[in-house]
Amino acid sequence: MNSERYEAEKTLDEVRLITGRTRVFAILADPIYHVKTPQTMNAVFDDQGLDCVLVPFHVAPAGLAALVGGLRRMQNFGGFIATVPHKTSMLDLCDEVSIAARHIGAVNCVRRENDGRLVGTMLDGIGFVEAMRSRGVDVAGMRVFLVGAGGASSAIAFGLADAGVRHITVSNRSAVRAVELAARLTAAYPSLSVSTDASDIGDHDLIVNGSTLGMLPSDADPIDFTCIHAKHLVADAIMEPSMTPLLRAARSKGCVVFPGKPMLDSQILLMARHMGALPVNQA
């Protein structure tokens, strides 16, 4: 056997093969190009020696219900992660959702039971808080300025409230949705100070962009960048680009910044457990 053939066969042996026994998982998004979950989750599967694979599914909102209906019938399908813009829609497409998901009004991780039932939960908020903690930041007692009132923003808001922040200002292009999120926060956390008056950004400790603004070059700025000062902590839930216009502007002013990817890293094992790829008690 010559050396080139040996190296080729050795490489094939080292590649995890997808077979008819492989358990399939997915991430659902529109657009799909920016997602980082397949790389991160498949690295976990490799590390754990699991015969599983997670693949990206590009599905527009109009086709979401039909796709989910088909996934129910795939007997080698274990579950999926839902991201922009499908998190809120998934709430009504699941057969059962966690209390947290019901409060937040969105689902980002779904397990398919053997009988085809879909069980959803929401892990974005936990992931965000844990990502902050991994950088040595305890959000308890902070005043937070949150951009967005959709699925990711709502999850982050509830995660922050659960972690003990003192105040949350919700800023959203649709004032009605901002008021709705503020009302849900107040109902769940009566002692939390909540506002939808976004006129004063400066009087906050932490600025969080939970919206999609900044994903595309043509997007409007999520906030007025001139209001950022060096004492602000600034975080963005967007994965791609990793350094959004908001984070670049904040860094130029001397702020400590928090990109979106660590939020995914902090919840990836939780997702694998919820979908049944890993035992609930496995580290």
Side-chain angles (χ1 to χ4, degrees), residues 154-177:
S154 296
I156 290 170
F158 275 83
L160 289 167
D162 195 57
V165 299
R166 179 162 52 97
H167 171 87
I168 298 178
T169 296
V170 181
S171 171
N172 192 63
R173 286 169 288 184
S174 166
V176 172
R177 293 190 71 183

Side-chain angles (χ1 to χ4, degrees), residues 19 42 50 53 67 74 85 113 123 139 144 146-147 164 179 188 223 225 234 275:
T19 73
N42 286 317
L50 298 172
V53 64
L67 173 62
M74 286 180 58
E113 303 284 17
L123 300 171
V139 299
V144 180
L146 175 66
V147 181
V179 170
I223 64 169
F225 292 165
V234 182
M275 293 190 297

Side-chain angles (χ1 to χ4, degrees), residues 21-276:
R21 296 182 181 274
T22 302
R23 193 77 168 154
V24 180
F25 298 86
I27 177 167
L28 281 51
D30 180 31
I32 199 76
Y33 70 89
H34 63 290
V35 298
K36 304 295 184 184
T37 309
Q39 303 94 302
T40 308
M41 185 66 79
N42 286 317
V44 170
F45 291 158
D46 286 344
D47 183 63
Q48 298 289 334
L50 298 172
D51 188 10
C52 300
V53 64
L54 185 139
V55 294
F57 287 1
H58 188 183
V59 56
L64 182 63
L67 173 62
V68 169
L71 296 178
R72 289 177 179 274
R73 292 163 174 78
M74 286 180 58
Q75 296 183 33
N76 64 337
F77 189 77
F80 59 87
I81 295 159
T83 188
V84 177
H86 303 314
K87 296 179 183 182
T88 54
S89 299
M90 281 310 309
L91 194 69
D92 293 328
L93 293 175
C94 289
D95 300 293
E96 178 185 338
V97 298
S98 65
I99 294 174
R102 186 67 65 187
H103 277 308
I104 293 163
V107 165
N108 80 327
C109 191
V110 178
R111 178 177 68 255
R112 179 193 177 276
E113 303 284 17
N114 290 335
D115 60 1
R117 294 178 67 256
L118 300 178
V119 180
T121 192
M122 175 48 100
L123 300 171
D124 278 346
I126 298 171
F128 181 84
V129 172
E130 288 303 314
M132 297 289 287
R133 286 172 177 161
S134 72
R135 292 276 301 275
V137 176
D138 182 358
V139 299
M142 286 189 177
R143 291 178 56 84
V144 180
F145 188 94
L146 175 66
V147 181
S153 296
S154 296
I156 290 170
F158 275 83
L160 289 167
D162 195 57
V165 299
R166 179 162 52 97
H167 171 87
I168 298 178
T169 296
V170 181
S171 171
N172 192 63
R173 286 169 288 184
S174 166
V176 172
R177 293 190 71 183
V179 170
E180 289 174 349
L181 174 54
R184 284 186 281 123
L185 283 168
T186 299
Y189 297 91
S191 63
L192 176 67
S193 170
V194 183
S195 172
T196 56
D197 180 2
S199 60
D200 184 9
I201 298 174
D203 187 28
H204 293 80
D205 306 297
L206 171 63
I207 298 171
V208 183
N209 179 30
S211 76
T212 60
L213 293 175
M215 186 179 293
L216 300 175
S218 58
D219 285 344
D221 295 333
I223 64 169
D224 181 354
F225 292 165
T226 65
C227 296
I228 301 172
H229 58 68
K231 292 185 179 179
H232 280 137
L233 302 176
V234 182
D236 205 317
I238 291 173
M239 304 287 176
E240 182 66 33
S242 58
M243 287 302 297
T244 61
L246 171 63
L247 296 184
R248 289 200 306 270
R251 190 168 61 178
S252 73
K253 297 193 176 190
C255 302
V256 177
V257 301
F258 301 83
K261 179 66 162 52
M263 184 174 80
L264 171 62
D265 294 339
S266 294
Q267 63 178 302
I268 203 74
L269 289 179
L270 297 175
M271 289 175 165
R273 292 186 191 116
H274 178 76
M275 293 190 297

